[in-house]
């Protein structure tokens, strides 16, 4: 004699409520992850445009360095790495040495103020010197006398210091090229809000080596976008699975 089939037990209300709550969280997570993916796609487009603009600036002929009238408008997006030229007289008694790590090794950037004909001052990073040349560089060795012409890449000030190391102006310990702080330390006025990395010149036997600016940008936005979109698909797949289970339990 056939036994009557047992009815499938109904899913409890708390369990259904938990599934509904999970679905709401999944929808919110999916929307958030897609938003993050779209944001990384936009950032990638912005970064590629920036790289193209910077590359064109670096390779372009040098233009006059911005004067005081342009200083308030100077921004990283529009001016940094612009190839500029300027002339003036070096103030060899107001040199600052900033710790540097370059392809030539560890040492210092020789930051020398250049006073222009209009009385304004622009800090010039004349280049790298190794540790053993520190004292001579600080004393003004290898600094040209009289009027000079300089060309190089415009850089924005680096306030604060380096990684986990603060600048100590009172002790002449510099870990970043902080234009405002260096100007205050040396009582410089009418100082441009940027400095210039000098172009490479003839290879010197001693003294600062210019042209060592590293122009590179991290561009991992595509990887990040793929990651966010993949996570969004995983959340969507999980939500579909839970929804199917919910529908199956109701039938």
């Amino acid at each position: 004699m056939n036994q009557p089939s047992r009815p499938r037990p109904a899913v409890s209300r708390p369990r259904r409520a938990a599934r509904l709550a999970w679905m709401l969280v999944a929808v919110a997570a999916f929307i958030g992850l897609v938003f993050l993916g779209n944001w990384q796609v936009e950032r990638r487009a912005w970064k590629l445009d920036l790289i193209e603009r910077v590359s064109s600036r670096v390779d372009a002929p040098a233009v006059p360095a911005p004067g005081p009238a342009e200083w308030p408008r100077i921004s990283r997006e529009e001016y940094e790495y612009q190839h500029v030229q300027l002339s003036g007289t070096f103030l060899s008694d107001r040199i600052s040495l900033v710790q540097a790590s370059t392809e030539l090794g560890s040492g210092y950037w020789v930051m020398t103020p250049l006073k222009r004909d209009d009385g304004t001052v622009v800090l010039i990073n004349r280049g790298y010197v190794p540790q053993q040349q520190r004292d001579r560089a600080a004393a003004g060795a290898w600094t040209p006398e009289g009027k000079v012409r300089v060309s190089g890449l415009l850089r924005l000030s680096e306030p604060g210091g380096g990684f986990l190391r603060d600048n100590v102006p009172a002790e002449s310990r510099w870990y970043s090229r902080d234009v405002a702080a260096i100007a205050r330390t040396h009582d410089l006025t009418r100082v441009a809000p940027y400095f210039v990395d000098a172009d490479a010149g003839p290879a010197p036997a001693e003294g600062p080596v210019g042209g060592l600016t590293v122009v590179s940008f991290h561009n991992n936005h595509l990887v990040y976008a793929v990651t966010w979109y993949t996570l969004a698909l995983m959340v969507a797949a999980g939500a579909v699975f839970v929804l199917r289970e919910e529908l199956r339990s109701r039938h």
Side-chain angles (χ1 to χ4, degrees), residues 210-224:
L212 297 180
T213 307
V214 176
V215 183
S216 65
F217 299 91
H218 296 291
N219 187 15
N220 298 321
H221 298 295
L222 181 59
V223 175
Y224 296 149

Side-chain angles (χ1 to χ4, degrees), residues 11-21:
V11 178
S12 65
R13 287 186 177 180
R15 187 174 177 183
R16 286 183 176 177
R19 285 181 175 175
L20 178 60

Side-chain angles (χ1 to χ4, degrees), residues 87-92 112-117 120-122 143-149:
S87 59
T89 305
F90 281 123
L91 305 178
S92 58
T112 309
L114 181 78
K115 189 169 185 178
R116 309 176 75 178
D117 291 341
T120 61
V121 175
V122 178
T143 304
E145 296 182 357
K147 193 165 185 177
V148 297
R149 179 172 292 276

Side-chain angles (χ1 to χ4, degrees), residues 192-210:
Y194 59 84
F195 63 92
V196 174
D197 278 345
D199 287 338
E206 289 186 306
V209 178

Side-chain angles (χ1 to χ4, degrees), residues 83-114:
H83 197 196
V84 298
Q85 62 182 3
L86 63 166
S87 59
T89 305
F90 281 123
L91 305 178
S92 58
D93 59 336
R94 304 188 189 188
I95 292 173
S96 297
L97 299 182
V98 181
Q99 286 203 0
S101 179
T102 74
E103 62 188 49
L104 301 179
S106 296
Y108 299 91
W109 297 122
V110 181
M111 303 295 294
T112 309
L114 181 78

